[in-house]
Amino acid sequence: MDKTLPDLATAVAGIDDGMTVMIGGFGGSGAPIELIHALIDRFVATGHPRDLTVVNNNAGNGHVGLAALIEAGMVRKLICSFPRSADPVVFTEAYRAGTIELELVPQGTLAERIRAGGAGIPAFYTPTSFGTDLAQGKPVAEFEGRSYVQERWLKADVALVKAHLGDRLGNLSYRMAGRNFNPLMCMAAARTIVQVSQLVEPGGIDPEAVVTPGIFVQGVVEVPNPAQEEDLNRAGAVYPEAAA
Amino acid sequence: MTLTPIKLTPSQMAWRAAQDIADGAYVNLGIGFPEMVAKFQPPGREAIFHTENGILGFGEAPAPGAEDWDLINAGKKAVTLKPGTAFFHHADSFAMVRGGHLDVAILGAYEVAETGDLANWSTGPKGVPAVGGAMDLVHGAKQVAVLTDHVTKDGKPKLLQRCTLPLTGVACVTRIYSSLAVIDVDRGRFVLREKLASLSFDDLQALTGATLHLDGPVADLTVPEL
């Protein structure tokens, strides 16, 4: 078994128009910047994929990564908890222009919906959002004297994920708070593509330290020394550079 | 509206809130002013701070230039490791929140109602809506405290009978650390616990949009110069 992929272009080749794509990361930490940029490269070259539904905690920052994906016009709908950042101009302008749809989900509900999607649980009840605008239209039930809101699983065609160590079997470990949504998204997508900062031999990750077992992963591509969104933004980076 | 009397600074409100955090407590501090509470832990007490993006027991901000952007808090600010730091994914993080494992959550507020309802995520339909973890954090922590100016910039009460802005949660707030007073929310009532000595009860009531109840003595709200 060998899930490694030769390069980033191969890694993003199977993503088609209209797909739902989960993208890991919380702000820039754990965000698969190189995979996102490879997807933009494909769009620039071929006009595809477009009309994507993207699931991420945020809505991008500056003009790189997820913000660049939106700026390229590839995203029809965003499912997120917090579409604000230090520089949210790209999403904000698309939202105001009506070119992007927003489904706002409380952060813990977003995480649990993704977890449920990966775990085969179609719906669950949570206290979060009861009595608020975000619970409108959702079934409510009482358990042990408290009211809870029904939420549904969230699944994706593809997940783009960033991990620190990975092996050819797809076993992964993460780096610090870069873990965030990544392990959940690995579980919830039909096809999970991971950029790892270092590819190791099987056994190179202590079995006790494997966070995502390889069963949840379909493709691994090595990206040594990955860019950090925060560093790119502090340098005023724009992707693709030609659009600057 | 009468002139607002001398009031606590955000640092002083944070200091006061910190005095109630017990040794060994697990605490989530909201983005903004509540983050300052960590600085004012009384000596000899060790609280463990939780951040939604998957860290327990993180340390202070690093020196400029020493940031590691994989090591950030929910406000996307760089933090540091400490002996005993633990990382976990987002579903585990919010299991800690909703599952009743946190002792204290301290949040900011636009409005708080005497019913314990909180409005702190939306000022209305204009602008881009964003909720983050606020709606999760108000459920599950044993104490859900609010750190807020007692009145708005225009001098209007933020403590009300009913919230007028979109709600973050229903009947969730247990204590309010305001710039003028410490107030508990108890069975649908505001119960005054402490107030600035320079302020009369009637003055405080006039700045509050719902009845302040008394249940035992009211202490002076005293804080250090910070």
Side-chain angles (χ1 to χ4, degrees), chain A residues 8 12 19 32 50 59 75 100 104 110 115 132 168 173 180 195 203:
Chain A
L8 287 160
V12 300
M19 279 188 167
R50 59 194 311 148
V75 183
I100 194 166
L104 192 71
L110 182 64
R115 198 200 71 80
T132 76
R168 64 176 170 79
S173 68
N180 56 64
Q195 68 168 76

Side-chain angles (χ1 to χ4, degrees), chain A residues 40-48:
Chain A
I40 295 171
D41 290 346
R42 213 185 112 209
F43 178 77
V44 169
T46 69
H48 305 282

Side-chain angles (χ1 to χ4, degrees), chain A residues 11-236:
Chain A
V12 300
I15 302 173
D16 297 328
D17 292 358
M19 279 188 167
T20 295
V21 181
M22 291 180 175
I23 300 179
F26 179 88
S29 71
I33 298 292
E34 284 77 6
L35 279 172
I36 299 169
H37 287 178
L39 197 58
I40 295 171
D41 290 346
R42 213 185 112 209
F43 178 77
V44 169
T46 69
H48 305 282
R50 59 194 311 148
D51 295 325
L52 299 174
T53 293
V54 170
V55 182
N56 183 268
N57 184 64
N58 301 98
N61 188 7
H63 300 271
V64 297
L66 175 54
L69 196 74
I70 296 168
E71 196 160 34
M74 300 167 67
V75 183
R76 184 182 62 78
K77 179 179 178 181
L78 186 68
I79 301 175
C80 82
S81 87
F82 201 76
R84 287 187 203 145
S85 66
D87 178 9
V89 64
V90 170
F91 174 80
T92 303
E93 287 188 354
Y95 181 77
R96 293 220 167 105
T99 58
I100 194 166
E101 185 185 341
L102 172 65
E103 180 179 340
L104 192 71
V105 182
Q107 197 173 130
T109 298
L110 182 64
E112 193 64 14
R113 287 178 66 192
I114 297 166
R115 198 200 71 80
I121 306 289
F124 58 92
Y125 283 90
T126 174
T128 302
S129 89
F130 173 74
T132 76
D133 293 349
L134 296 190
Q136 280 178 8
K138 293 174 183 168
V140 169
E142 198 175 296
F143 299 92
E144 299 183 15
R146 274 186 80 189
S147 295
Y148 296 81
V149 177
Q150 189 193 87
E151 295 283 357
R152 300 220 169 180
W153 61 8
L154 200 50
K155 295 187 283 188
D157 299 297
V158 177
L160 300 180
V161 161
K162 181 184 186 182
H164 186 52
L165 301 182
D167 64 25
R168 64 176 170 79
L169 304 174
N171 295 307
L172 307 175
S173 68
Y174 299 86
R175 187 167 179 276
M176 301 202 252
R179 185 178 307 194
N180 56 64
F181 285 89
N182 282 301
L184 308 173
M185 291 179 170
C186 286
M187 298 165 65
R191 182 170 167 76
T192 291
I193 306 298
V194 186
Q195 68 168 76
V196 299
S197 305
Q198 192 184 342
L199 191 63
V200 298
E201 289 299 315
I205 307 173
D206 181 342
E208 297 282 7
V210 171
V211 176
T212 294
I215 191 171
F216 297 124
V217 172
Q218 282 68 47
V220 176
V221 59
E222 189 180 33
V223 180
N225 305 309
Q228 286 284 9
E229 184 182 86
E230 184 72 25
D231 290 330
L232 293 176
N233 281 332
R234 288 183 177 210

